[in-house]
Amino acid sequence: MAKGLPACPVETTLMLISDRWKVLILRDLMGGTKRFGELKKSIGAVSQKVLTANLRGMEADGLLTRKAYPEVPPKVEYTLTETGYSLKPVLDAMTAWGMEYQSKKA
């Protein structure tokens, strides 16, 4: 077991994606590289500070990469890593479950 990770694999997964913003960031980046502004616009109600903190945390966890271009204004792009893309089945299952739940409540 990796140092600092919970013994339970479900807890490990939740530790990485438990914040609702992180799941939405993953959802948006599954389609490919996005700039900061594109992510903020797509996600909506998240503040710049919270989005930045979540992106930094996800980068530190190895779920995405950040590429900054030396331009004015600054241009920063985010792309999922292989580890980030490996969460696609989890997001697909969440989507399927959510759609089924919505249809039952409609």
Side-chain angles (χ1 to χ4, degrees):
M1 177 173 29
K3 185 178 180 181
L5 293 179
C8 174
V10 172
E11 189 177 350
T12 299
T13 305
L14 284 173
M15 182 184 80
L16 293 172
I17 66 167
S18 63
D19 187 285
R20 78 178 194 182
W21 305 120
K22 289 180 180 180
V23 174
L24 296 177
I25 292 166
L26 287 168
R27 175 202 66 189
D28 288 353
L29 291 179
M30 284 293 165
T33 300
K34 297 255 189 301
R35 293 179 64 180
F36 183 88
E38 293 174 306
L39 288 169
K40 181 150 179 16
K41 185 176 182 179
S42 175
I43 293 171
V46 66
S47 71
Q48 183 168 329
K49 179 181 177 181
V50 170
L51 180 57
T52 298
N54 277 277
L55 288 165
R56 285 183 181 155
M58 293 172 75
E59 183 181 16
D61 290 335
L63 299 177
L64 58 81
T65 59
R66 176 185 186 272
K67 183 171 183 179
Y69 296 89
E71 299 177 1
V72 176
K75 177 181 173 183
V76 180
E77 294 181 335
Y78 296 91
T79 306
L80 289 179
T81 62
E82 191 174 318
T83 302
Y85 277 115
S86 72
L87 287 163
K88 185 172 182 353
V90 175
L91 287 159
D92 289 346
M94 290 173 71
T95 300
W97 188 91
M99 289 172 64
E100 185 177 331
Y101 181 81
Q102 286 176 336
S103 70
K104 288 179 183 177
K105 293 292 183 180

